[in-house]
Amino acid sequence: MTSTLLRFDSLVAQQRQHFRSGATQPLGFRLAQLKRLKEVILAQETDILAALQQDLGKPHFDGYLTEIAAATREIDYAIKHLKQWVKPKRVGISLENFSGPGADLP
């Protein structure tokens, strides 16, 4: 059990380091990750539906509708709107910060 926790801790540390490096910020990276996620979900659809059936007793149609289709629709929505979401937005500034510009960076 301890070695599993150590591997998990190491994985989490690697993920945090990768995130802090800024590699996940570019729009292209984010779009590629979303597209890859959708590809994996669709490629593993049969296994996902079988697991939902086995673990939760969810019929394949219900599993597809509430899990596969819902997730892929959300991914498509995110892909469609991501460019707008990552744009900096002008925001009001407080008196203490009056001399500088105000921007909300995603």
Side-chain angles (χ1 to χ4, degrees), residues 4-85:
T4 302
L5 288 176
L6 289 175
R7 286 193 307 252
F8 181 75
D9 288 344
S10 174
L11 177 62
V12 169
Q14 290 173 6
Q15 292 295 318
R16 286 182 176 154
Q17 182 180 5
H18 181 67
F19 178 78
R20 288 184 191 123
S21 75
T24 63
Q25 287 186 347
L27 177 62
F29 176 85
R30 295 177 186 197
L31 288 172
Q33 292 297 101
L34 287 167
K35 290 174 184 176
R36 178 71 179 126
L37 177 59
K38 183 178 176 180
E39 289 173 9
V40 170
I41 290 171
L42 294 176
Q44 299 298 320
E45 179 180 327
T46 303
D47 292 338
I48 294 169
L49 292 174
L52 289 167
Q53 172 68 42
Q54 182 179 358
D55 295 348
L56 303 176
K58 192 175 270 199
H60 283 224
F61 179 76
D62 288 348
Y64 179 82
L65 191 63
T66 61
E67 306 298 336
I68 306 292
T72 55
R73 276 194 314 267
E74 290 292 325
I75 292 168
D76 289 340
Y77 183 85
I79 289 170
K80 181 177 179 181
H81 294 92
L82 189 60
K83 187 174 183 180
Q84 182 64 33
W85 293 343

Side-chain angles (χ1 to χ4, degrees), residues 86-102:
V86 301
K87 286 183 180 176
K89 298 171 194 72
R90 294 194 60 68
V91 295
I93 55 174
S94 65
L95 186 58
E96 297 87 24
N97 298 319
F98 186 69
S99 64

